[in-house]
PDB file of all heavy atoms in Angstrom:
ATOM      1  N   ALA A 257     171.580 -86.925  85.999  1.00 96.00           N
ATOM      2  CA  ALA A 257     172.086 -85.669  86.561  1.00 96.00           C
ATOM      3  C   ALA A 257     171.037 -85.004  87.414  1.00 96.00           C
ATOM      4  O   ALA A 257     171.325 -84.413  88.460  1.00 96.00           O
ATOM      5  CB  ALA A 257     172.564 -84.748  85.436  1.00 96.00           C
ATOM      6  N   THR A 258     169.783 -85.047  86.958  1.00 96.00           N
ATOM      7  CA  THR A 258     168.686 -84.443  87.734  1.00 96.00           C
ATOM      8  C   THR A 258     168.536 -85.118  89.091  1.00 96.00           C
ATOM      9  O   THR A 258     168.371 -84.438  90.113  1.00 96.00           O
ATOM     10  CB  THR A 258     167.368 -84.541  86.950  1.00 96.00           C
ATOM     11  OG1 THR A 258     167.506 -83.864  85.699  1.00 96.00           O
ATOM     12  CG2 THR A 258     166.221 -83.943  87.721  1.00 96.00           C
ATOM     13  N   PHE A 259     168.592 -86.438  89.108  1.00 97.00           N
ATOM     14  CA  PHE A 259     168.463 -87.155  90.373  1.00 97.00           C
ATOM     15  C   PHE A 259     169.643 -86.830  91.298  1.00 97.00           C
ATOM     16  O   PHE A 259     169.465 -86.717  92.504  1.00 97.00           O
ATOM     17  CB  PHE A 259     168.358 -88.668  90.134  1.00 97.00           C
ATOM     18  CG  PHE A 259     166.948 -89.137  89.927  1.00 97.00           C
ATOM     19  CD1 PHE A 259     166.221 -88.761  88.809  1.00 97.00           C
ATOM     20  CD2 PHE A 259     166.340 -89.959  90.879  1.00 97.00           C
ATOM     21  CE1 PHE A 259     164.914 -89.178  88.626  1.00 97.00           C
ATOM     22  CE2 PHE A 259     165.013 -90.388  90.709  1.00 97.00           C
ATOM     23  CZ  PHE A 259     164.306 -89.987  89.576  1.00 97.00           C
ATOM     24  N   ALA A 260     170.816 -86.652  90.719  1.00 96.00           N
ATOM     25  CA  ALA A 260     171.988 -86.274  91.537  1.00 96.00           C
ATOM     26  C   ALA A 260     171.818 -84.888  92.124  1.00 96.00           C
ATOM     27  O   ALA A 260     172.141 -84.630  93.303  1.00 96.00           O
ATOM     28  CB  ALA A 260     173.254 -86.346  90.689  1.00 96.00           C
ATOM     29  N   VAL A 261     171.267 -83.956  91.341  1.00 96.00           N
ATOM     30  CA  VAL A 261     171.050 -82.578  91.810  1.00 96.00           C
ATOM     31  C   VAL A 261     170.105 -82.550  92.996  1.00 96.00           C
ATOM     32  O   VAL A 261     170.416 -81.989  94.049  1.00 96.00           O
ATOM     33  CB  VAL A 261     170.477 -81.712  90.649  1.00 96.00           C
ATOM     34  CG1 VAL A 261     169.903 -80.415  91.209  1.00 96.00           C
ATOM     35  CG2 VAL A 261     171.558 -81.391  89.629  1.00 96.00           C
ATOM     36  N   TRP A 262     168.961 -83.178  92.843  1.00 96.00           N
ATOM     37  CA  TRP A 262     167.937 -83.079  93.883  1.00 96.00           C
ATOM     38  C   TRP A 262     168.241 -83.947  95.106  1.00 96.00           C
ATOM     39  O   TRP A 262     167.935 -83.590  96.246  1.00 96.00           O
ATOM     40  CB  TRP A 262     166.562 -83.432  93.306  1.00 96.00           C
ATOM     41  CG  TRP A 262     166.038 -82.311  92.498  1.00 96.00           C
ATOM     42  CD1 TRP A 262     166.119 -82.131  91.142  1.00 96.00           C
ATOM     43  CD2 TRP A 262     165.352 -81.144  93.000  1.00 96.00           C
ATOM     44  NE1 TRP A 262     165.547 -80.941  90.771  1.00 96.00           N
ATOM     45  CE2 TRP A 262     165.053 -80.328  91.871  1.00 96.00           C
ATOM     46  CE3 TRP A 262     164.963 -80.739  94.261  1.00 96.00           C
ATOM     47  CZ2 TRP A 262     164.399 -79.097  92.010  1.00 96.00           C
ATOM     48  CZ3 TRP A 262     164.291 -79.520  94.378  1.00 96.00           C
ATOM     49  CH2 TRP A 262     164.019 -78.750  93.279  1.00 96.00           C
ATOM     50  N   THR A 263     168.862 -85.096  94.877  1.00 96.00           N
ATOM     51  CA  THR A 263     169.276 -85.942  96.034  1.00 96.00           C
ATOM     52  C   THR A 263     170.288 -85.189  96.858  1.00 96.00           C
ATOM     53  O   THR A 263     170.191 -85.193  98.110  1.00 96.00           O
ATOM     54  CB  THR A 263     169.853 -87.268  95.538  1.00 96.00           C
ATOM     55  OG1 THR A 263     168.862 -87.973  94.737  1.00 96.00           O
ATOM     56  CG2 THR A 263     170.276 -88.145  96.689  1.00 96.00           C
ATOM     57  N   SER A 264     171.250 -84.547  96.219  1.00 96.00           N
ATOM     58  CA  SER A 264     172.240 -83.754  96.961  1.00 96.00           C
ATOM     59  C   SER A 264     171.571 -82.633  97.730  1.00 96.00           C
ATOM     60  O   SER A 264     171.902 -82.349  98.882  1.00 96.00           O
ATOM     61  CB  SER A 264     173.280 -83.171  95.982  1.00 96.00           C
ATOM     62  OG  SER A 264     173.955 -84.215  95.296  1.00 96.00           O
ATOM     63  N   ARG A 265     170.602 -81.978  97.102  1.00 94.00           N
ATOM     64  CA  ARG A 265     169.911 -80.879  97.747  1.00 94.00           C
ATOM     65  C   ARG A 265     169.214 -81.339  99.027  1.00 94.00           C
ATOM     66  O   ARG A 265     169.281 -80.664 100.050  1.00 94.00           O
ATOM     67  CB  ARG A 265     168.886 -80.279  96.770  1.00 94.00           C
ATOM     68  CG  ARG A 265     168.085 -79.142  97.359  1.00 94.00           C
ATOM     69  CD  ARG A 265     167.179 -78.543  96.299  1.00 94.00           C
ATOM     70  NE  ARG A 265     166.543 -77.317  96.803  1.00 94.00           N
ATOM     71  CZ  ARG A 265     166.230 -76.284  96.052  1.00 94.00           C
ATOM     72  NH1 ARG A 265     166.546 -76.297  94.775  1.00 94.00           N
ATOM     73  NH2 ARG A 265     165.652 -75.222  96.581  1.00 94.00           N
ATOM     74  N   TYR A 266     168.523 -82.460  98.947  1.00 95.00           N
ATOM     75  CA  TYR A 266     167.776 -82.941 100.093  1.00 95.00           C
ATOM     76  C   TYR A 266     168.678 -83.475 101.199  1.00 95.00           C
ATOM     77  O   TYR A 266     168.373 -83.380 102.385  1.00 95.00           O
ATOM     78  CB  TYR A 266     166.784 -84.025  99.662  1.00 95.00           C
ATOM     79  CG  TYR A 266     165.620 -83.501  98.872  1.00 95.00           C
ATOM     80  CD1 TYR A 266     164.968 -84.286  97.936  1.00 95.00           C
ATOM     81  CD2 TYR A 266     165.157 -82.188  99.036  1.00 95.00           C
ATOM     82  CE1 TYR A 266     163.891 -83.821  97.210  1.00 95.00           C
ATOM     83  CE2 TYR A 266     164.084 -81.706  98.303  1.00 95.00           C
ATOM     84  CZ  TYR A 266     163.440 -82.522  97.406  1.00 95.00           C
ATOM     85  OH  TYR A 266     162.378 -82.058  96.687  1.00 95.00           O
ATOM     86  N   LEU A 267     169.819 -84.026 100.823  1.00 96.00           N
ATOM     87  CA  LEU A 267     170.720 -84.627 101.832  1.00 96.00           C
ATOM     88  C   LEU A 267     171.415 -83.591 102.706  1.00 96.00           C
ATOM     89  O   LEU A 267     171.982 -83.904 103.739  1.00 96.00           O
ATOM     90  CB  LEU A 267     171.771 -85.505 101.131  1.00 96.00           C
ATOM     91  CG  LEU A 267     171.267 -86.862 100.612  1.00 96.00           C
ATOM     92  CD1 LEU A 267     172.378 -87.586  99.872  1.00 96.00           C
ATOM     93  CD2 LEU A 267     170.724 -87.721 101.753  1.00 96.00           C
ATOM     94  N   ILE A 268     171.381 -82.324 102.294  1.00 95.00           N
ATOM     95  CA  ILE A 268     172.008 -81.286 103.099  1.00 95.00           C
ATOM     96  C   ILE A 268     171.373 -81.212 104.478  1.00 95.00           C
ATOM     97  O   ILE A 268     172.072 -81.077 105.496  1.00 95.00           O
ATOM     98  CB  ILE A 268     171.900 -79.922 102.380  1.00 95.00           C
ATOM     99  CG1 ILE A 268     172.791 -79.908 101.140  1.00 95.00           C
ATOM    100  CG2 ILE A 268     172.289 -78.770 103.306  1.00 95.00           C
ATOM    101  CD1 ILE A 268     172.679 -78.664 100.282  1.00 95.00           C
ATOM    102  N   VAL A 269     170.053 -81.332 104.547  1.00 94.00           N
ATOM    103  CA  VAL A 269     169.383 -81.302 105.841  1.00 94.00           C
ATOM    104  C   VAL A 269     169.777 -82.532 106.680  1.00 94.00           C
ATOM    105  O   VAL A 269     169.977 -82.414 107.887  1.00 94.00           O
ATOM    106  CB  VAL A 269     167.837 -81.247 105.667  1.00 94.00           C
ATOM    107  CG1 VAL A 269     167.141 -81.420 107.014  1.00 94.00           C
ATOM    108  CG2 VAL A 269     167.449 -79.916 105.048  1.00 94.00           C
ATOM    109  N   ASN A 270     169.889 -83.682 106.045  1.00 95.00           N
ATOM    110  CA  ASN A 270     170.341 -84.879 106.779  1.00 95.00           C
ATOM    111  C   ASN A 270     171.701 -84.623 107.418  1.00 95.00           C
ATOM    112  O   ASN A 270     171.924 -84.992 108.597  1.00 95.00           O
ATOM    113  CB  ASN A 270     170.449 -86.068 105.820  1.00 95.00           C
ATOM    114  CG  ASN A 270     169.105 -86.573 105.351  1.00 95.00           C
ATOM    115  OD1 ASN A 270     168.412 -85.880 104.599  1.00 95.00           O
ATOM    116  ND2 ASN A 270     168.734 -87.750 105.788  1.00 95.00           N
TER     117      ASN A 270
END
Side-chain angles (χ1 to χ4, degrees):
T258 301
F259 271 67
V261 165
W262 284 95
T263 301
S264 301
R265 179 176 189 148
Y266 289 152
L267 285 177
I268 290 174
V269 172
N270 290 68

